[in-house]
Amino acid sequence: MASDSRPVVFATNALHPDGAALLAPHAEIVVGPDTADDTLRAGVRAADAVIVRAKLPSGVFDGAPRVKGVVRHGVGLDFIPVAEATARGIPVANLPGSNTQTVAEYVFAALFALRRPLARMDARLRADGWNPARSLADGTQEIGATTLGIVGLGAIGQRVAAIATAGFGMRVLGASRSGKAPAGVTPVGLDELFAQSDAIVIACPLTPETTGLVGADLIARMKPDAVLVNPARGPIVDTAALIAALKAGRIAGAATDVYDVHPVPPDSPLFALPNLIMTPHGAGITATSMRAMSIGAAEEVLRILKGEEPKNLVNPAYRKPAA
């Protein structure tokens, strides 16, 4: 509930201080105490604009006549029921490119953790001494001159490809909906990409078409020493198929930042897999990207509150709300 006459901006999660400072002179910022569905619905109902970092529930705009716009603190739109917003004449914006470098760097951090596990060497050195730790190096692998397959060639996929080719001399294969690829990337189908790649990166958005895209058949095509990195969305990869492949040693390893359910349930079988690296949906989060995303979101909200269209409008059809 607003404590003054300024418009209310509901943020599902805390903003970077620099982003909050941009908004504070013009709006009251209300940060949700948690991300439970009822909390999010109550926050949206009392807001003039919404900044989204948590998945909004279906029907969240019911009984929310004040909302003038919704801004994604990031890129992925699966956190926002865009069609519902459009039907109610609510503009939706996101921040393309705001965490592209951040996620690309995560991909290579994950690849190095899988191929050159320095943390494991460090632990062995401290626990068991020099020679046992040094012996771990014998089984490590370089990523240079290997083949990287990228599923999805949007901003993140293209940035990963550029780093792979220019920085490490990797051969890069790419699969995209358009069938096209940027310079330096060989366009291939999914079957060929999974069969030929030494490492595979999931970089496509979650849509009805990509849900379950990477299933048992594609995973079965992977080389026994190949690895998979998923910083995109959990449901793109069939979790049961990935668990089965890792448990049986049919692939060398995987790193995943995203899951079917967030947070991961404590009894999930994922935790028992020693060849799986798990991170808690942090691939797009650094101090640098958080500042950029919060400032970008604040700027878009200010445009909306002034009656202007957001710079990165994703649903131009909102101008014609359903009858």
Side-chain angles (χ1 to χ4, degrees):
M1 175 101 36
S3 61
D4 54 38
S5 60
R6 295 176 299 164
V8 173
V9 176
F10 174 64
T12 64
N13 303 77
L15 303 176
H16 186 281
D18 290 351
L22 276 179
L23 281 176
H26 309 284
E28 179 178 0
I29 304 168
V30 176
V31 179
D34 56 61
T35 56
D37 286 356
D38 287 347
T39 301
L40 296 176
R41 288 192 177 97
V44 171
R45 281 197 300 269
D48 297 284
V50 182
I51 296 177
V52 178
R53 283 184 61 199
K55 186 174 178 61
L56 298 179
S58 177
V60 71
F61 302 117
D62 294 343
R66 289 172 50 179
V67 176
K68 299 178 177 67
V70 180
V71 179
R72 175 71 168 96
H73 187 284
V75 181
L77 293 170
D78 55 299
F79 278 14
I80 302 171
V82 176
E84 293 181 20
T86 303
R88 287 162 176 76
I90 301 171
V92 177
N94 68 346
L95 305 172
S98 58
N99 61 4
T100 296
Q101 181 69 20
T102 311
V103 177
E105 290 187 8
Y106 170 92
V107 166
F108 288 95
L111 282 177
F112 283 125
L114 289 163
R115 296 306 197 191
R116 302 286 295 277
L118 303 186
R120 194 184 310 164
M121 288 187 189
D122 173 81
R124 179 68 64 86
L125 177 60
R126 295 171 187 272
D128 301 326
W130 185 271
N131 288 333
R134 192 173 185 185
S135 68
L136 293 178
D138 295 342
T140 62
Q141 298 179 13
E142 299 176 13
I143 67 170
T146 62
T147 298
L148 179 68
I150 304 174
V151 180
L153 292 171
I156 290 171
Q158 291 186 43
R159 184 60 185 144
V160 170
I163 294 171
T165 54
F168 299 105
M170 301 178 82
R171 173 190 179 221
V172 179
L173 308 178
S176 67
R177 183 174 51 187
S178 69
K180 300 178 181 178
V185 178
T186 302
V188 296
L190 284 172
D191 287 354
E192 185 176 353
L193 185 147
F194 273 76
Q196 291 192 22
S197 299
D198 300 295
I200 296 166
V201 176
I202 309 302
C204 58
L206 178 64
T207 67
E209 293 74 27
T210 63
T211 300
L213 178 69
V214 180
D217 289 347
L218 283 178
I219 293 173
R221 292 179 180 275
M222 293 173 65
K223 299 177 181 180
D225 58 353
V227 297
L228 183 144
V229 178
N230 184 11
R233 288 293 184 267
I236 296 170
V237 177
D238 184 323
T239 300
L242 180 62
I243 290 172
L246 290 169
K247 189 177 292 187
R250 292 198 299 270
I251 62 174
T256 185
D257 187 55
V258 286
Y259 310 89
D260 296 333
V261 177
H262 291 189
V264 183
D267 60 349
S268 170
L270 293 168
F271 289 112
L273 298 169
N275 49 354
L276 174 67
I277 294 172
M278 299 173 65
T279 53
H281 202 180
I285 299 176
T286 61
T288 305
S289 70
M290 282 296 293
R291 181 177 185 274
M293 289 186 287
S294 288
I295 289 175
E299 291 173 342
E300 289 285 51
V301 164
L302 289 176
R303 291 186 188 98
I304 290 168
L305 294 178
K306 291 176 184 176
E308 302 172 3
E309 279 197 351
K311 181 179 178 182
N312 296 301
L313 179 69
V314 301
N315 65 333
Y318 86 91
R319 300 186 194 95
K320 298 178 180 178

